């Protein structure tokens, strides 16, 4: 049964209180981080920096994010630790947006930063707005409220503040509830072309009546495509395309040159774009059919083309009037989108292939991590009477979905076995891992870019050695998560901490301590962290020293850099910190070094874990192969034989499988048959020999 808004508010409030207590943070910052995390996960914003400032002049801001494309997100809170769900009136909405508008106007027009404390987060934000004012093309204002929006507000028109276009977004309890109950899907875009551009998009149907989905061929004006990207930004791009486009962050020079020098040849030179949608509305036009409305338009191939059109128009003042882009549009039902859309993206992107291009929630890496998270019990924490699990949410909404059909007693048991503080997502995992194994700046660049970096690295490593991702890897990742989250609380508890730059301090403190260990060919004992499910006192003391060391360094950026958070996103920040690590090493207690492991011990553990994983793979392969009846193996042999995609070795092993149980394939032969199943899936024989989840 679906929760009422009041029930959702109560649960959300309890999560908030528990999170604030666990992280030693104020309820306001916990509220902002919780809602902003939802927006980041679903692609509404690229990241979030907490920055709470309010003044007697009626100004207020509670967070921000600058993206690479000239858009600034400013956040303001409507939060007062309310015990009951209240109503958010239109006058209060206007007042909330008015406060953050006044702050932005003061930063742009009046050099407001000069009145602020130089080391404060609000100074960094105000100074950056002033310094970037000629580059800020759009401001997105977000009002985050713990109340329910009044029905009297139906829509908010865009506006202008200090000469900059502004959009208004309200995230109240009911909208947050819709987001969480969307079963992993984000809130879809709803694009009305006649309203936005005055005309529909000409199209040709490219499907037959018997097909399970509709598809269209269209030619879309480049001005329209650039306009959509300008308004919706990365939300227009399917998640994987968005991540990897951000990871590159550069305009394609070939596309730019064509736009500027040979616009009449753009259609001939460019491959066009591939897109999906949940719904499409068609109307007759003077010269044929027109697409008038698209619900949940997502570009799955052609993100570079789309972004390049937008940037070249904006930066080079190029005219896109006579440029057109071909688009293949497939209408995919939302229930099938998680399975079908990644395949469209994967196959459409073959000309620009990267190892991690199919690093979606159904990638084998994520499925394996999910399997471990459901199977492995973490040791009971000190004082606890029962073991628990770390719940990996490889697809959004899994944690809530797992409880949806449970009775109240079953839900209580589920939460006891899978505590909410031990739920973690793909972006959490990327954060936990990258501070140890990559440049710590990535964690400071925001969840999207950090995950893209992690995906690229893990995708390549999986191709080389999938057995390296085993129980040891999972336990170590959880141990790193424990360290990361404990360090967040640790920093908040320090007497020197003034409430700003916690995310930056945490990332560089952990990276600094790891670098000190690495230089000594030593490593933190992650197995000990796993066994006690907490920070050992020696690591806690060392991290407190490292955090103070990092804070003292980053609050003094070089001349010409005013925003400390921006400084922490640069290579030079880590380079400078690395030059101070001898001083940090000298400040660390001997007890910390006494408990470190040699790298040889760590390597030995990893080797043992890989051997175990290979055995597990063989057992799992045999189990799956034996579940498929002989007649299906015969069907696979016939279909793939007809398509001539089988090797002689595969044909021979299939003949054995078709005679089960009279003949039993060996463990190695079962692994060959797993490869045959993957071939069958890629050839469209999804219903034969594959579970629905693995299809």
């Amino acid at each position: 049964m679906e929760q009422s808004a009041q029930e959702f508010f109560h649960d959300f409030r309890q999560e908030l209180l528990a999170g604030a207590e666990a992280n030693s943070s104020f309820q306001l910052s916990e509220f902002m981080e919780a809602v902003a995390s939802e927006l980041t996960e679903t692609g509404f914003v690229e990241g979030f920096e907490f920055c709470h400032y309010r003044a007697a002049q009626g100004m207020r801001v509670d967070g921000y994010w600058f993206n690479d494309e000239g858009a600034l997100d400013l956040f303001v809170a409507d939060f007062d630790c309310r015990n009951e769900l209240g109503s958010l009136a239109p006058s209060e909405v206007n007042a909330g947006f008015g406060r953050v508008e006044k702050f932005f106007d003061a930063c742009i027009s009046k050099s407001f930063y000069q009145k602020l404390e130089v080391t404060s987060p609000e100074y960094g934000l105000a100074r950056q707005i002033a310094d970037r004012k000629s580059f800020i093309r759009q401001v997105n204002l977000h009002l985050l409220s713990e109340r329910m929006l009044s029905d009297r507000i139906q829509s908010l028109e865009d506006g202008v503040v200090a000469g900059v276009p502004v959009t208004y977004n309200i995230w109240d309890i009911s909208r947050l509830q819709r987001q969480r109950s969307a079963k992993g899907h984000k809130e879809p875009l709803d694009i009305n072309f006649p309203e936005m551009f005055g005309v529909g998009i000409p199209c040709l149907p490219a499907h037959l009546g018997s097909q399970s989905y509709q598809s269209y061929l269209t030619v879309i004006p480049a001005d329209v495509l650039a306009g959509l990207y300008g308004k919706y930004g990365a939300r227009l791009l399917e998640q994987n395309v968005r991540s990897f486009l951000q990871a590159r962050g550069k305009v394609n020079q070939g596309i730019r040159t064509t736009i500027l020098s040979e616009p009449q040849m753009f259609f001939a030179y460019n491959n066009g774009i591939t897109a999906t949608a949940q719904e499409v509305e068609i109307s007759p036009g003077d010269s044929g059919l027109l697409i008038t409305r698209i619900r949940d338009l997502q570009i799955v191939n052609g993100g570079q083309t789309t972004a390049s059109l937008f940037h070249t128009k904006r930066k080079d003042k190029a005219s896109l009037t006579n440029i057109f882009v071909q688009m293949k549009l497939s209408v995919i039902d939302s229930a099938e989108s998680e399975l079908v859309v990644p395949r469209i993206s994967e196959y459409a992107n073959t000309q620009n292939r990267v190892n991690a291009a199919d690093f979606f929630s159904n990638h084998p890496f994520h499925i394996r991590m999910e399997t471990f998270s459901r199977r492995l019990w973490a040791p009971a924490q000190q004082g606890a009477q029962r073991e628990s699990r770390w719940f990996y949410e490889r697809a959004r909404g899994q944690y809530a979905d797992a409880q949806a059909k449970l009775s109240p007693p079953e839900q209580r048991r589920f939460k006891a076995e899978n505590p909410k503080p031990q739920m973690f997502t793909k972006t959490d995992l990327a954060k936990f891992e990258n501070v140890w194994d990559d440049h710590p700046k990535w964690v400071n660049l925001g969840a999207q870019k950090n995950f893209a970096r992690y995906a690229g690295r893990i995708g390549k490593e999986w191709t080389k050695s999938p057995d390296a991702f085993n129980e040891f890897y999972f336990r170590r990742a959880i141990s790193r998560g424990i360290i990361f989250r404990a360090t967040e609380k640790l920093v908040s508890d320090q007497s020197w901490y003034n409430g700003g730059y916690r995310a930056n301090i945490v990332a560089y403190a952990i990276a600094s301590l790891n670098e000190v260990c690495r230089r000594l060919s030593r490593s933190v004992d992650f197995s000990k962290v796993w066994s006690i499910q907490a920070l050992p006192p020696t690591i806690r003391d060392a991290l407190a020293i490292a955090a103070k060391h990092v804070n003292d360094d980053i609050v003094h950026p070089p001349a010409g850099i005013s925003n400390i958070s921006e400084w922490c996103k640069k290579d030079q920040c880590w380079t400078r910190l690395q030059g101070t690590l001898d001083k940090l090493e000298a400040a660390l207690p001997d007890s910390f070094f006494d408990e470190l492991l040699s790298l040889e011990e760590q390597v030995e553990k990893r080797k043992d874990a890989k051997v175990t994983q290979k055995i597990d793979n063989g057992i799992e392969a045999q189990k799956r192969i034996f579940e498929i009846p002989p007649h299906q193996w015969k069907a696979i042999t016939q279909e793939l034989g007809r398509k001539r995609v089988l090797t002689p070795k595969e044909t021979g092993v299939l003949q054995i499988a078709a005679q089960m149980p009279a003949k039993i394939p060996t463990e190695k032969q079962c692994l060959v048959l797993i490869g045959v199943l993957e071939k069958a899936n890629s050839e469209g024989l999804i219903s034969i020999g594959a579970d629905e989840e693995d299809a």
Side-chain angles (χ1 to χ4, degrees):
M1 188 172 69
E2 188 174 340
Q3 270 188 319
S4 67
Q6 183 68 51
E7 290 170 332
F8 177 81
F9 170 79
H10 174 76
D11 289 352
F12 180 76
R13 183 171 180 274
Q14 293 307 309
E15 286 178 19
L16 198 68
L17 294 172
E21 182 178 353
N23 299 322
S24 291
S25 59
F26 292 110
Q27 290 184 30
L28 171 63
S29 63
E30 190 69 22
F31 170 74
M32 296 299 293
E33 294 282 358
V35 181
S37 176
E38 295 279 343
L39 304 188
T40 305
E41 284 284 332
T42 49
F44 282 100
V45 296
E46 290 182 20
F48 173 79
E49 290 273 1
F50 182 70
C51 176
H52 174 60
Y53 173 78
R54 60 171 119 182
Q57 302 97 318
M59 287 186 276
R60 176 166 180 167
V61 68
D62 293 290
Y64 70 95
W65 189 262
F66 286 92
N67 74 12
D68 298 331
E69 299 171 338
L72 166 64
D73 292 288
L74 289 176
F75 302 82
V76 64
D78 166 55
F79 181 80
D80 198 25
C81 308
R82 296 173 175 89
N83 294 322
E84 298 296 332
L85 178 60
S87 177
L88 180 62
S91 59
E92 293 168 309
V93 169
N94 294 333
F97 281 129
R99 293 185 187 100
V100 71
E101 285 176 341
K102 194 170 183 181
F103 175 82
F104 177 72
D105 182 66
C107 295
I108 285 280
S109 310
K110 303 168 185 174
S111 300
F112 180 61
Y113 68 88
Q114 295 175 354
K115 301 178 182 179
L116 302 172
E117 164 58 42
V118 175
T119 60
S120 68
E122 56 265 26
Y123 172 88
L125 171 58
R127 179 67 185 270
Q128 197 169 8
I129 290 174
D131 291 346
R132 289 190 177 189
K133 62 184 178 182
S134 61
F135 300 101
I136 298 175
R137 63 171 181 85
Q138 179 174 315
V139 177
N140 304 311
L141 301 184
H142 304 272
L143 175 63
L144 278 50
S145 176
E146 63 177 340
R147 294 189 280 177
M148 182 178 288
L149 184 64
S150 167
D151 291 337
R152 287 178 288 167
I153 299 179
Q154 297 300 320
S155 62
L156 293 170
E157 294 185 2
D158 296 347
V160 176
V161 176
V164 181
V166 174
T167 66
Y168 301 89
N169 305 276
I170 303 172
W171 301 94
D172 68 330
I173 281 294
S174 58
R175 191 173 184 185
L176 183 60
Q177 183 183 16
R178 289 196 301 273
Q179 278 291 111
R180 288 198 176 179
S181 62
K183 299 194 175 184
H185 301 289
K186 63 187 183 310
E187 191 174 86
L189 298 174
D190 194 348
I191 301 170
N192 187 309
F193 287 94
E195 282 185 6
M196 290 184 66
F197 303 103
V199 67
I201 306 298
C203 69
L204 286 174
H207 57 271
L208 299 175
S210 60
Q211 282 187 295
S212 59
Y213 72 94
Q214 298 174 318
S215 55
Y216 300 90
L217 296 177
T218 78
V219 176
I220 185 168
D223 263 322
V224 170
L225 195 56
L228 289 172
Y229 190 78
K231 182 173 179 62
Y232 299 113
R235 288 181 62 198
L236 196 65
L237 308 180
E238 184 274 328
Q239 184 181 10
N240 216 56
V241 177
R242 175 170 69 244
S243 295
F244 286 93
L245 183 62
Q246 287 180 344
R248 293 190 298 268
K250 295 180 181 177
V251 176
N252 185 299
Q253 292 303 314
I255 297 175
R256 176 177 176 271
T257 300
T258 302
I259 295 169
L260 295 175
S261 305
E262 299 180 278
Q264 73 281 2
M265 298 303 295
F266 188 92
F267 189 86
Y269 292 164
N270 189 265
N271 287 333
I273 64 177
T274 302
T276 64
Q278 284 187 24
E279 297 176 24
V280 171
E281 290 185 8
I282 307 293
S283 298
D286 294 338
S287 303
L289 296 177
L290 297 174
I291 293 176
T292 55
R293 191 169 189 170
I294 297 180
R295 179 176 168 80
D296 196 22
L297 176 66
Q298 291 285 282
I299 295 172
V300 298
N301 180 40
Q304 193 73 292
T305 293
T306 306
S308 296
L309 286 167
F310 167 77
H311 286 298
T312 306
K313 178 180 180 179
R314 177 171 167 257
K315 294 179 180 178
D316 298 301
K317 310 301 179 188
S319 171
L320 305 182
T321 305
N322 296 316
I323 297 178
F324 297 88
V325 182
Q326 57 184 318
M327 178 171 73
K328 181 175 72 173
L329 178 64
S330 299
V331 185
I332 306 297
D333 181 79
S334 59
E336 300 179 4
S337 61
E338 186 179 344
L339 176 66
V340 178
V341 172
R343 287 185 173 169
I344 294 175
S345 180
E346 178 182 352
Y347 301 146
N349 278 286
T350 51
Q351 77 274 16
N352 191 27
R353 186 76 180 190
V354 290
N355 283 330
D358 57 343
F359 205 71
F360 295 84
S361 59
N362 58 352
H363 185 282
F365 168 83
H366 295 300
I367 293 173
R368 184 175 292 178
M369 292 301 105
E370 179 189 38
T371 301
F372 289 147
S373 81
R374 306 299 191 268
R375 177 167 61 81
L376 296 178
W377 290 91
Q381 297 181 31
Q382 186 174 7
Q385 298 302 310
R386 63 190 303 172
E387 296 178 329
S388 59
R389 296 189 184 97
W390 283 78
F391 189 99
Y392 182 50
E393 198 175 62
R394 70 173 175 88
R396 269 184 54 79
Q398 280 185 319
Y399 188 79
D401 287 347
Q403 305 171 59
K405 296 180 180 179
L406 301 180
S407 65
E410 290 172 333
Q411 286 186 4
R412 286 192 292 272
R413 178 177 177 178
F414 177 87
K415 289 178 179 178
E417 294 178 349
N418 304 273
K420 184 65 184 290
Q422 292 178 196
M423 188 273 281
F424 65 110
T425 66
K426 297 193 296 295
T427 52
D428 290 329
L429 179 60
K431 190 166 55 176
F432 300 158
E433 288 287 289
N434 273 356
V435 290
W436 294 90
D437 296 335
D438 209 326
H439 198 301
K441 73 170 184 179
W442 291 104
V443 177
N444 294 318
L445 281 165
Q448 299 273 352
K449 288 187 174 69
N450 185 57
F451 178 72
R453 176 73 175 189
Y454 179 65
R457 178 164 61 84
I458 296 304
K460 292 174 183 175
E461 291 176 13
W462 178 275
T463 301
K464 292 178 182 176
S465 180
D467 294 330
F469 300 96
N470 43 49
E471 288 188 17
F472 172 83
Y473 180 91
F474 179 81
R475 290 192 179 101
R476 189 187 68 178
I478 297 303
S479 300
R480 289 174 168 183
I482 291 169
I483 293 171
F484 194 98
R485 289 177 173 176
T487 307
E488 290 180 321
K489 184 178 187 300
L490 181 70
V491 170
S492 295
D493 288 339
Q494 300 305 302
S495 59
W496 49 261
Y497 180 63
N498 67 357
Y501 316 118
R502 188 178 76 165
N504 311 125
I505 297 168
V506 168
Y508 281 110
I510 295 172
S512 295
L513 204 61
N514 182 48
E515 181 65 12
V516 168
C517 296
R518 191 190 63 78
R519 292 179 181 185
L520 298 171
S521 297
R522 309 287 291 280
S523 169
V524 166
D525 186 355
F526 294 109
S527 61
K528 183 172 184 179
V529 178
W530 169 265
S531 65
I532 65 174
Q533 291 290 293
L535 273 187
T538 53
I539 298 179
R540 177 179 293 277
D541 294 343
L543 280 167
I545 295 169
K548 177 68 163 60
H549 179 86
V550 166
N551 180 73
D552 291 346
D553 186 272
I554 66 172
V555 295
H556 298 103
I561 298 179
S562 58
N563 189 305
I564 293 169
S565 291
E566 290 303 305
W567 165 237
C568 291
K569 296 173 185 175
K570 298 182 181 297
D571 292 327
Q572 301 94 306
C573 178
W574 180 225
T575 300
R576 193 176 81 173
L577 265 169
Q578 286 175 305
T580 69
L581 293 185
D582 288 343
K583 182 180 176 182
L584 172 60
E585 182 183 340
L588 295 171
D590 292 340
S591 57
F592 169 70
F593 296 104
D594 291 342
E595 294 190 5
L596 296 178
L597 295 178
S598 68
L599 290 184
E600 289 78 11
E601 291 174 292
Q602 288 285 84
V603 168
E604 194 62 35
K605 287 186 178 183
R606 283 199 290 269
K607 282 183 179 178
D608 291 343
K610 286 181 74 171
V611 170
T612 302
Q613 186 62 48
K614 283 183 178 180
I615 295 171
D616 289 347
N617 289 345
I619 294 171
E620 187 63 32
Q622 286 180 315
K623 179 183 174 184
R624 183 176 173 189
I625 296 310
F626 294 159
E627 288 174 348
I628 299 173
H631 73 272
Q632 284 198 326
W633 288 117
K634 291 177 182 176
I636 291 173
T637 304
Q638 291 174 354
E639 287 296 322
L640 294 185
R642 184 174 57 81
K643 292 175 179 282
R644 298 183 179 180
V645 295
L646 291 173
T647 66
K649 181 179 181 180
E650 289 170 336
T651 301
V653 175
L654 277 168
Q655 290 173 354
I656 295 173
Q659 299 178 61
M660 291 193 296
K663 288 189 176 182
I664 302 295
T666 65
E667 185 178 300
K668 286 186 178 180
Q669 288 172 335
C670 286
L671 291 172
V672 171
L673 291 171
I674 291 293
V676 171
L677 288 180
E678 291 174 356
K679 271 188 183 180
N681 290 338
S682 67
E683 291 295 327
L685 307 178
I686 295 172
S687 62
I688 298 179
D691 295 333
E692 184 176 345
E693 182 179 52
D694 295 325

